[in-house]
Structure formats: structure tokens, C-alpha cells
Amino acid sequence: MFAILVAGIALWVAAHFFKRLAPDARANMGDKGKGIAALAIIVSLVLIITGYRGAEIVTVWNPPGFMVHINNLLMLVAVFIYGMSATTGTLRGKLRHPQLLAVKIWAVAHLLANGDLASIILFGSMLLWAGGSVALINRAEEWNRPEPGDPSKNKLLVIITIVMFAVITAIHTWLGVWPFPG
């Protein structure tokens, strides 16, 4: 199952980096390239989830119990920052790459709370991928900071954050991982 996990991660990285590393090849694909990239990302997610869930548990380190609480707090921050990219409140433009920063926070949070090999491979590689993505984007594009938006949209961001955190918690629970140990 580790091979399936690694194959999924490799496909994820390739699908996301293709546009940046081979822009001419991607441009030659035209609109159908978007569909191919989307399909590759979906397949990569299936492989990652299948490989991760089926991987043998190989303990590398035993994180202290309080790391789960730090993970949950960092996840709330990650969801909030991820949402900043989709809202038009006063926080818009405060961060250049809110989605990728959120992935980095998500990865670090899960590395702190999980000491098994599959988690280290998955979350460590996603941390490296997000960092590499930021570097590639920054090298290729100049950033024009957007103007801050309507302050009332900040309330929407908070509501979306709470709802998305609840959804993520529900998904973890459905998968058999209760994120709030006693």
C-alpha cells in the first residue's frame, strides 16, 4: 500500500507542477488539458486515500497526546486561511498564497499529531509540494495585491470556517478517526 500512496503523491505533484514546469506542452493541450489535469488529480486523490488508509502502521515516533489539540487549533487556522482566498473581505490580499499556506499548516499540524510512516510520507510530501508550488509561482508571476473588500464579508469567512471545520470533523469521524480525544 505504500507504493500506492507514493504513486498517488507522485501523480498529484506531477498534475499540479505540469503547467509550471512544461508551460508550452500544457498550452498545446488547450482546454482538454484542464480535463486531463482534473482527472489526474482525482485519480491521485483516490490513490493517496487508498494507499494511506491501507498502509501498514509503522511507528516512527509517538507524539505526546496534547499534539492532537495543537493539530485541531492549527486546522482551524488552516481552514480560516484557506477561506481567505475565496472571500472578498478586508483580509483579501493580506497573503499571497492563502491556499498553499493553508496546506502547509495542515501538513505541519498532522505531522505533529501523527508519528507513523504513512503520515510522515503523506503530510511531509504535501508540505514539500506546497513549498515548491509557492517557489514556482513566485518565480513565474509578479503579484498584484488585491484591494481589501467589504468588512461585512469577514463575518462570512468566520461562518464558512466554522462550517468547514465541522464538515472536516464529520468526515474524520465517518472515516473512524475521532479528532477530539478526551
Side-chain angles (χ1 to χ4, degrees):
M1 286 299 187
F2 281 105
I4 293 171
L5 173 62
V6 171
I9 293 166
L11 183 57
W12 171 273
V13 171
H16 281 87
F17 279 2
F18 182 64
K19 177 181 175 181
R20 303 269 175 221
L21 296 177
D24 294 337
R26 172 60 189 89
N28 289 337
M29 297 173 78
D31 284 342
K32 75 176 182 175
K34 291 179 183 177
I36 293 169
L39 180 61
I41 290 168
I42 291 168
V43 170
S44 75
L45 286 171
V46 169
L47 291 172
I48 289 169
I49 292 167
T50 303
Y52 181 75
R53 292 196 36 94
E56 174 187 349
I57 296 176
V58 177
T59 302
V60 176
W61 75 294
N62 290 307
F66 69 87
M67 287 297 187
V68 174
H69 304 295
I70 292 173
N71 171 73
N72 292 339
L73 178 61
L74 287 173
M75 282 307 302
L76 192 59
V77 171
V79 172
F80 181 83
I81 289 174
Y82 191 92
M84 285 173 60
S85 68
T87 59
T88 57
T90 57
L91 298 176
R92 179 177 66 177
K94 296 290 184 190
L95 300 171
R96 179 166 183 188
H97 305 288
Q99 291 179 350
L100 291 168
L101 177 58
V103 169
K104 291 182 205 177
I105 295 168
W106 165 80
V108 168
H110 282 76
L111 285 168
L112 291 174
N114 297 285
D116 62 287
L117 183 59
S119 293
I120 292 168
I121 291 170
L122 172 59
F123 301 115
S125 64
M126 289 296 137
L127 179 60
L128 293 173
W129 164 76
S133 293
V134 167
L136 285 172
I137 293 167
N138 286 350
R139 186 181 73 189
E141 301 171 4
E142 185 176 324
W143 186 44
N144 296 315
R145 184 183 302 272
E147 292 296 320
D150 180 3
S152 68
K153 299 291 184 175
N154 294 343
K155 294 174 190 170
L156 179 62
L157 175 57
V158 170
I159 292 167
I160 290 171
T161 299
I162 292 167
V163 169
M164 287 309 300
F165 189 77
V167 168
I168 291 167
T169 298
I171 290 169
H172 277 74
T173 302
W174 176 67
L175 292 172
V177 179
W178 178 241
F180 303 105

